[in-house]
Amino acid sequence: MFRGSLVVRAGLLTPAQLRTSAWRRLFPDVYACTTADVDHGLRAHAAARLLLPGAVVSGRSAAVLRGVDLADRDDVVTLTVPVSCRAGAVAGVSLTRRALAADQTTVRHGTRVTTPVRTALDLARRRPVEDAVADLDRFVRSGRVDLAAVRAAAAGLTGRDCRQVRQVAAVADGLAESPQETRLRLLLVRSGLPAPVAQHVVRDGGRFVARVDLAWPEHRIAIEYDGAWHGDPAQFRADRRRLNRLTAAGWRVVFVTATDLHRPDALVARLRRLLDAPRSA
């Protein structure tokens, strides 16, 4: 990665050569060799080190640099800059002007990045709130940060968004294996149904049966988010064996899809009927 104006000034490339297919433009005046594997992490490094030297990678981009893929390659890079920074809008970059304490940043692979707790607090500022909870759940589940530490830091926040950050930290649990599982859990909690148990381990006579996304153990009802069709024959057979084990143990399994999440009233009504139905012995 390099600044185009600098290499041209040094005589290493001519302006015409810089415009050839040998180089890829990442940001204004920031280039990389076309053979480079340009992912979101590389774009974040380029933005903080070359486009806006002194900027700190934060939010979802900071999570990516810590190994949690919360942003796709071409998603905007999130940076935090000092309040005094006069940089204008740049396509592909989202700037937050905020003073960061020295203990809220660190250096990772040569780039300044927010600490895990600071990153988590920034994730909790995302809107809508459901997306913020989903991001925080994934970040906590990755093991990069402790949820109790995030909640403690959120409790001490003041100023803009502090109420949302505390709300998000309070409802996150760091257990969901996908964003849609988080959204499903939040939907059920808001619906007035009993709070389900996340990632519940089902046992029958002390024998492990399965771990399910959400459950009402006292009703022996499991909820599984079905995000994609398992076309692989071996995976299909494994899923069916798992379902058979749950059924044999007396559990009812409800599969929820993205379509169901877009029709929440019908989904909640179906689950309420199951919960109200007499339980078998």
Side-chain angles (χ1 to χ4, degrees):
M1 302 180 296
F2 58 92
R3 292 294 297 248
S5 58
L6 294 181
V7 299
V8 168
R9 191 177 307 138
L12 301 175
L13 290 174
T14 66
Q17 289 172 326
L18 190 60
R19 291 192 294 268
T20 67
S21 59
W23 315 106
R24 175 174 178 172
R25 183 176 180 270
L26 303 180
F27 299 105
D29 199 34
V30 178
Y31 295 83
C33 179
T34 52
T35 59
D37 182 14
V38 178
D39 57 11
H40 188 85
L42 186 140
R43 293 179 63 244
H45 283 296
R49 290 159 61 178
L50 295 172
L51 180 66
L52 290 170
V56 179
V57 180
S58 54
R60 304 184 96 203
S61 296
V64 169
L65 294 189
R66 295 190 178 279
V68 185
D69 292 330
L70 293 185
D72 294 329
R73 185 189 70 176
D74 294 325
D75 286 350
V76 296
V77 172
T78 48
L79 300 178
T80 295
V81 295
V83 177
S84 59
C85 178
R86 297 186 177 182
V90 178
V93 177
S94 175
L95 292 181
T96 296
R97 288 174 169 81
R98 179 183 295 121
L100 292 173
D103 61 358
Q104 292 180 322
T105 69
T106 185
V107 176
R108 190 170 180 85
H109 303 303
T111 299
R112 289 184 69 203
V113 59
T114 49
T115 60
V117 169
R118 179 73 251 180
T119 300
L121 296 176
D122 290 339
L123 294 175
R125 286 186 162 88
R126 190 183 177 200
R127 289 185 172 83
V129 170
E130 282 190 353
D131 290 347
V133 178
D135 279 354
L136 184 55
D137 269 353
R138 289 183 65 189
F139 196 53
V140 171
R141 183 175 176 81
S142 73
R144 268 62 173 187
V145 71
D146 178 68
L147 184 56
V150 177
R151 288 172 174 168
L157 283 182
T158 59
R160 184 181 178 183
D161 296 330
C162 64
R163 184 174 300 177
Q164 174 176 314
V165 172
R166 285 194 286 271
Q167 176 191 357
V168 169
V171 298
D173 64 9
L175 297 176
E177 294 184 335
S178 72
Q180 293 294 66
E181 285 182 32
T182 292
R183 295 185 178 98
L184 174 58
R185 178 176 65 85
L186 295 178
L187 167 63
L188 298 180
V189 170
R190 289 195 306 266
S191 71
L193 295 173
V197 178
Q199 299 301 317
H200 178 69
V201 174
V202 177
R203 298 186 183 275
D204 185 24
R207 177 179 58 86
F208 174 82
V209 175
R211 180 168 56 85
V212 297
D213 296 338
L214 297 164
W216 287 292
E218 65 276 19
H219 296 272
R220 284 183 288 180
I221 296 175
I223 307 174
E224 293 277 78
Y225 183 78
D226 193 6
W229 173 254
H230 291 152
D232 178 70
Q235 184 61 55
F236 179 83
R237 289 192 294 270
D239 289 344
R240 285 295 175 262
R241 288 194 297 269
R242 181 173 178 272
L243 177 59
N244 289 339
R245 291 196 305 270
L246 285 164
T247 303
W251 280 68
R252 290 170 289 179
V253 181
V254 179
F255 291 98
V256 176
T257 66
T259 300
D260 293 317
L261 293 182
H262 285 96
R263 296 184 297 191
D265 292 343
L267 172 61
V268 170
R270 176 159 56 111
L271 294 173
R272 195 181 300 280
R273 287 193 297 270
L274 279 176
L275 290 169
D276 291 342
R279 285 178 285 171
S280 59

